[in-house]
Amino acid sequence: MASLVDVGWKLLEFKARSKRSGSIYEPLKLSSLHREDEPLWEKLDRYYNAVKTTILNYQSPTTGLFPVKTCSECKEAKVRDSLYCAAGAWALAMAYRRIDDNMGRTHELEHSAIKCMRGILYCYMRQADKVEQFKQDPSPSKCLHSVFDVDTGDEVHSYSDYHHLQIDAVSLFLLYLVEMICSGLQIIYNTDEVSFIQNLVFCVERAYRVPDYGMWERGSKYNNGSTELHSSSVGLAKAALEAINGFNLFGNQGCSWSVIFVDLDAHNRNRQTLCSLLPRESRSHNTDAALLPTISYPAFAVDDDALYSQTLDKIVRKLRGKYGFKRFIRDGYRTTNEDKDRRYYKPAEMKLFDGIEYEFPIFFIYMMIDGVFRGNKAQVKEYQELLDPIIFQSYEGHAVVPKYYYVPADFVEAEQNKHGSQKRFPSNSGRDGKVFLWGQALYNIAKLLVDELISPKDIDPIHRYVPRQDQRNVSMRYSNQGPIVNDVVIHVALIAESQRLQVFLNTYGIQTQTPQQVEPIQIWPQKELVKAYRFLAINKKLGLSGRPERPVGCIGTCKIYRILGKTVVCYPIVFDLSDFYLSQDVMLLIDDITNALQFIKQCWKMQGRPLFLVLIREDNIKGSRFNPVLDMLASFKKGNIGGVKVHVDRLQTLISGAVVEQLDFLRVNEAEISEFKSFEELELPKHSKVKRQMSTPNASDLEQQPEISVEEWLDKPTNEIIQKFHDSNCLASQAQLAGILLRREGPDFLTKDENLMDELERIYRRAGSRKLWLAVRHAAVIMKKFASSIAPHITTILVNGKQVTLGLFGHEEEVISNPLSPGVIQGIIYSKCSPHGGEREAVLQQELVIHIGWIISNNPELFSGMLKIRVGWIVQAMKHELKIRAGDMPPQDIYQLSPSDIKQLLLDVLQPQNTGRSWLNRRQIDGSLNRTPLGFYDRVWQILERTPNGIRVAGTHLPQQPTLSDMTMYEMNFSLLVEDKLKKIVLPEYRQIIVELLMVVSILLERNPELEFSDQVDLDILVKEAFSDFQKDHSSLEGKEKQECDPSPSLPLLPLSQDGMEAFYNTPPVGKRSTSSYLTKAVMIQLLQGDVKPCKDDPCSVS
């Protein structure tokens, strides 16, 4: 007898069939559609009829776009869907190229694809003003639209009604544009279109710093209207940039002005961001089927095979079902439980969709194509067998792919109780004439590949799918990315600022050249190259201004440029004279050079050798700076610096092996270009001696200290302050007095015919040359000095998967989770540090951000376990370190250290703590760094599952609901939520005890599955109880010692007051009478006060 469920399913299927006006669809039997000995032209004819019927018949005759839905009333065309339809037609055209008599079908299919691509281009170009706005301000309200009217190309939805910011769609357009042109199609017709495509590239280059709404157009998984940084978008942008770099949009018939340029430093940031995000899709999406087109066809964006396998395995494990892949976990799209009248979800609503997410067969097709490209026949067979039973046959006998399979309302409860237990029903796609065109296009591509009517190289002529080590260059005139070179040798040219410096260095065996000696080659600072690039893709007709003024990074300055008949080389940005005081520390310059070389070694992927210019200034060798510079130059001569192989030679010799970039676009605007300024040689007598001042060691602590107290001088008359300012020889005191005058009288106030700002600038420079770093920092703060390079370094930290917080320890901090402009960052630093008496820290935090940016680029492992880089807390960790080193003596003032010493102190603090330290010191350092053990956030999730009333710490509550309903265990947003609760803790060592306590709670719950907390878990109370127990034990032990022997006055007793928690913090975490033992006891007492869940295997059960 049939079960009630079977009867219900048959009844539902009968109702569904009755709605189809009597049409009956059977599952597709592929064996009945063609013969084994079918001739090639018959096979192609069958495919042509299928493509014509299921795809091309829906193409708009005016714009060439394809509608989202194939019903007559649908007038919307999405860029992404149309691109895949164009790719389907183009793939079949590639197959027809194999036969001589194709009856004009090759031409028809190719031009169907061209018409669609040009239709999208037409829609995009009508929005050129939005491209220009987006270049300056990449926000969701200033982006290109993703949906257009299928017949007119007009805008359909406003920004408030639709989430248009989808970087993956624009990137996919650029990628397919290159693929199709490379196969011989003519898509781009004139220079207006070339300049527009170049401006699209400018937009896509910044994908790593632009959160968008992603492939599913909803942004955050919670569907609350917020954007996120998506791996799928960044990956497609990376692939598009690699494909289009150096590409000629006119194909074989093009010349220099139809070539596209890509900023390879920006491309590298996209690569780094993708690697740090994967295998996640975003903060809220732990994994997502949208990653398949990114890691596989068509983008093939992942270079690392291990990372590809890890990402793919996660997608298959988490999302694969019987009828297709879920888009992501708890995807409510169109499910029965989704409220169709609301655009956004409410908190905790995500739980309603658990287990009933729609399954999409299209991802089986992606897996088939991936298997063909990678030569994995077993994978192709596996997914073809999964796909065959769930696709249907149209009236004409063509295969039709349903868009999705859903759980009917009657079966939702049963499916949620037992996932995978219920039968699912196909969507209307494939029934009543409604076709899911994206799926149809991909299906035809997959079948053409499986039937070997086309090969992977036919639809990927630029060889995106070839393993990176075998990838050959696209055959174009201009520099492009080639295979990865693991052991690159960096060519180095040493340039002296003057002839007398050259003569001086020659006495030490260091051979250099001067700017005049390398002529006609010109040496430029990178900012001049930025000026040149500003003319790239200017188009007044379209209102496009060209390349935004973005600095050229290390990769860009390692190439040779041909500019208006001149040969130009650029020195890296690290040699730019900065207004910020870091440039006055030559040790830091040497460190920056080493870091830059290591970065180039890791990231250089072009065919020629990188050319690195080392610019030596006379100021670099003054005083004690000379010996470190000489050592660095000697390392260059030996051929190895910091583990990087280098080859030093004359610039003219090195040019032959370098990468040449032709900036021919400048000829178009030559009349409007002002003269470029090359680096000028200092005109000094050749035989005059370089003034090497007496060695200037770092100033003593006493010399650095100001001789006045600021508080005493705040209320004194202005004339007395001016008199003291001129009488004092202490630069630190002068800086403090100038600061008082500046606040009181303003920057234009005159002292001896000089205004205050000029006086402060003089103090700033003199203090720097005398290495009085306390005075330097004080003057820098008063003048609100700012290191503009901080913005790219913050971006570097973010692309490594971290967040940054700026602000003083113990006060409110500003969290930076997306890249910001330098002006905004400057405002944050000074507003968060200055009001609380931490003015000097405003510049110290800038130093640290720059150092952290370099360190995380080359040694990311030093930041493992740190989700947030809390700069103010890192300063606190460094102060703790100085106290530990000082012992019983007063610690060194951190503001008196040189910038290079600050960097070394930071590196020492970041290193795993050595065993010689006390547990108090270790906890202070680790707590200040916000470091957590491996798997920490997952364990907090497991605790939350067993605490119905949530967790409380430092006065903040982490509730069980809606947290567990909205989020999933492994998503980044949950980790950030936990960090948000822990940030309320003010003592670093106490924070570390709380982290240890949470690990203890997790282990106890794991080992005792029958227990759970009945009340809210207050972590502060548990620590208090554990400490109370610790005090009792300590008192009793102390009493026993007194009875056994007379206490020696030389043995200090541990304090037992509130301050006495230091003794607890100084106790080892494991072992007898360890912190863990006291914490465990406190947790077990609270656990045993709650309910014990019965267990059927409980041996103590009596009934």
Side-chain angles (χ1 to χ4, degrees), residues 901-954:
D901 288 339
I902 288 285
K903 185 173 184 180
Q904 188 56 54
L905 178 61
L906 171 64
L907 280 166
D908 293 343
V909 164
L910 290 172
Q911 296 289 345
Q913 298 303 304
N914 58 51
T915 51
R917 299 215 169 151
S918 70
W919 281 104
L920 170 62
N921 292 338
R922 290 197 218 179
R923 287 186 173 110
Q924 285 173 332
I925 299 289
D926 283 339
S928 297
L929 294 175
N930 286 221
R931 210 189 286 278
T932 58
L934 187 67
F936 171 71
Y937 303 107
D938 300 344
R939 288 189 174 275
V940 176
W941 177 275
Q942 290 164 347
I943 295 170
L944 207 56
E945 288 180 318
R946 307 269 286 278
T947 53
N949 295 304
I951 301 168
R952 178 169 291 277
V953 62

Side-chain angles (χ1 to χ4, degrees), residues 309-324:
S309 300
Q310 184 186 3
T311 306
L312 183 65
D313 176 67
K314 195 173 191 180
I315 295 167
V316 173
R317 269 190 301 109
K318 302 274 187 181
L319 303 178
R320 194 176 96 169
K322 182 180 176 183
Y323 301 91

Side-chain angles (χ1 to χ4, degrees), residues 27 61 83 110 320 387 394 447 602 640 707 755 796 899 965 979 1100:
L83 284 169
E110 286 179 350
R320 194 176 96 169
L387 186 65
S394 70
K447 291 300 292 178
Q602 290 172 11
N640 191 298
E707 59 189 16
N755 67 36
T796 300
S965 296
E979 276 298 326
C1100 299

